[in-house]
Amino acid sequence: MSENKKIAVFDSGLGGISVLRELKKQLPGEDYLYYGDSANAPYGVRTAENIQELCDEVIRKICEKEGDIKCVVIACNTATSAAIEHLRKTFPDIHFIGIEPAIGWAANEMDHPMILTFATDFTVNGKMFRDNVKKLSDKARFISKGAPEFVKFVESGVTDAVDSAECRKYIDSLCEDINDKVDAIVLGCTHFPFIKEMIREEVAKKLDCEPKLYDAAVLVAQNVKKWLQENGLLEEKDRGSVEMMNSDPSKIDFMWKLYES
Ligand code: DGL
């Protein structure tokens, strides 16, 4: 039924592997092609036009390699914010599913929570995120922080399994001007789930609270599943394949390590 077409998943670098893992959990029978654009990471400090150009290039490379695909998951909050509408116009035959910080999930699940979002500067300053915050303003209070160094830490090999005093210090510095206790931490960049325990522990210690973590990867995988079902494309086999590509091929080994961690 699916003619063995793959689901393409892409990110500016390694972060989207956190989304790939969730896709694999919820949709184990699908075949995946993951593309990381580590040679051009980080995206979060670039302009929208520049991110759109990079995304165009990535999609062309995926199509060149794979031909027909089922859909493309933009496993990058920054690229979703900067480029999803542009990509839909540029590649009208491809179905794109993006990711946005899970602030709605946190706001609707808790009783008027204080939500701390960490994301890239592009995402927190972008229209998509600011509009969503506005829409939820009667349900929650928000503190939103650009945390670009997290991307660099993860790209350079820091994870919860490795730990890093420098990363913990950076988390403390991000909390320096926060005076409220927070109920929820939204991981608004797909790189951050790899250091989520460090983030939770440091924020909890620094602000004397017990925040719950929210990662939109779960919602993305649900969206992909729904779309596949609605279009009769859901793969019934038990176990599908995963292929890794990167604009910086030296990252491939580490990509597999992250995927299997
Ligand atoms: N992983 C990406 C995200 O979800 C961005 C990282 C970057 O700045 O390249 O926003």
Side-chain angles (χ1 to χ4, degrees):
M1 174 195 307
S2 66
E3 298 158 23
N4 293 330
K5 284 186 206 163
K6 291 184 180 175
I7 295 176
V9 181
F10 95 88
D11 178 42
S12 62
L14 311 177
I17 294 172
S18 61
V19 179
L20 175 65
R21 291 199 308 189
E22 187 59 37
L23 285 163
K24 190 76 183 148
K25 201 157 127 193
Q26 292 193 36
L27 296 159
E30 301 296 330
D31 297 319
Y32 297 95
L33 171 66
Y34 182 90
Y35 189 98
D37 194 13
S38 294
N40 294 305
Y43 279 12
V45 294
R46 296 174 182 274
T47 62
E49 292 69 28
N50 191 201
I51 296 168
Q52 289 168 9
E53 282 163 14
L54 292 170
C55 290
D56 286 352
E57 192 55 34
V58 169
I59 299 303
R60 280 194 198 104
K61 281 188 193 160
I62 289 172
C63 292
E64 230 167 73
K65 157 83 181 56
E66 216 36 61
D68 262 3
I69 41 174
K70 280 187 180 173
C71 62
V72 174
V73 177
I74 308 175
C76 176
N77 295 264
T78 308
T80 300
S81 170
I84 195 163
E85 290 313 326
H86 163 85
L87 288 169
R88 285 177 174 145
K89 277 189 210 130
T90 311
F91 302 94
D93 296 335
I94 299 177
H95 184 71
F96 290 95
I97 294 169
I99 185 166
E100 292 180 60
I103 53 175
W105 182 10
N108 287 313
E109 193 174 72
M110 296 180 134
D111 182 20
H112 209 80
M114 172 60 86
I115 299 174
L116 170 59
T117 302
F118 289 128
T120 64
D121 288 314
F122 191 97
T123 299
V124 290
N125 295 321
K127 185 173 174 341
M128 198 179 257
F129 181 75
R130 284 188 287 119
D131 285 351
N132 286 337
V133 165
K134 217 179 282 168
K135 268 187 234 152
L136 294 163
S137 59
D138 58 336
K139 291 194 165 168
R141 292 174 300 145
F142 293 93
I143 301 166
S144 308
K145 296 258 177 195
E149 295 301 310
F150 286 157
V151 179
K152 293 191 196 154
F153 280 119
V154 173
E155 289 286 319
S156 68
V158 173
T159 64
D160 278 326
V162 174
D163 210 285
S164 155
E166 214 186 320
C167 182
R168 286 183 183 273
K169 215 162 123 196
Y170 178 59
I171 301 166
D172 282 3
S173 74
L174 291 170
C175 295
E176 210 54 68
D177 62 350
I178 301 178
N179 299 312
D180 298 278
K181 292 183 193 302
V182 303
D183 304 298
I185 299 172
V186 170
L187 303 168
C189 167
T190 55
H191 281 71
F192 302 174
F194 292 109
I195 50 170
K196 66 179 182 201
E197 292 311 327
M198 269 190 275
I199 293 174
R200 180 180 12 218
E201 279 169 24
E202 285 309 306
V203 171
K205 216 177 347 167
K206 186 86 179 168
L207 303 178
D208 187 25
C209 55
E210 282 183 40
K212 186 169 171 196
L213 291 176
Y214 287 87
D215 174 4
V218 179
L219 307 178
V220 172
Q222 287 168 358
N223 287 341
V224 174
K225 188 171 185 173
K226 189 164 171 273
W227 183 80
L228 292 174
Q229 276 167 339
E230 285 170 357
N231 289 279
L233 291 170
L234 191 66
E235 188 56 66
E236 304 294 348
K237 68 181 183 291
D238 290 345
R239 209 188 146 106
S241 62
V242 174
E243 189 178 348
M244 296 288 191
M245 284 176 79
N246 200 303
S247 52
D248 174 357
S250 72
K251 297 280 185 183
I252 298 282
D253 284 351
F254 185 51
M255 289 167 82
W256 282 113
K257 252 186 226 158
L258 277 183
Y259 175 69
E260 278 149 16
S261 67

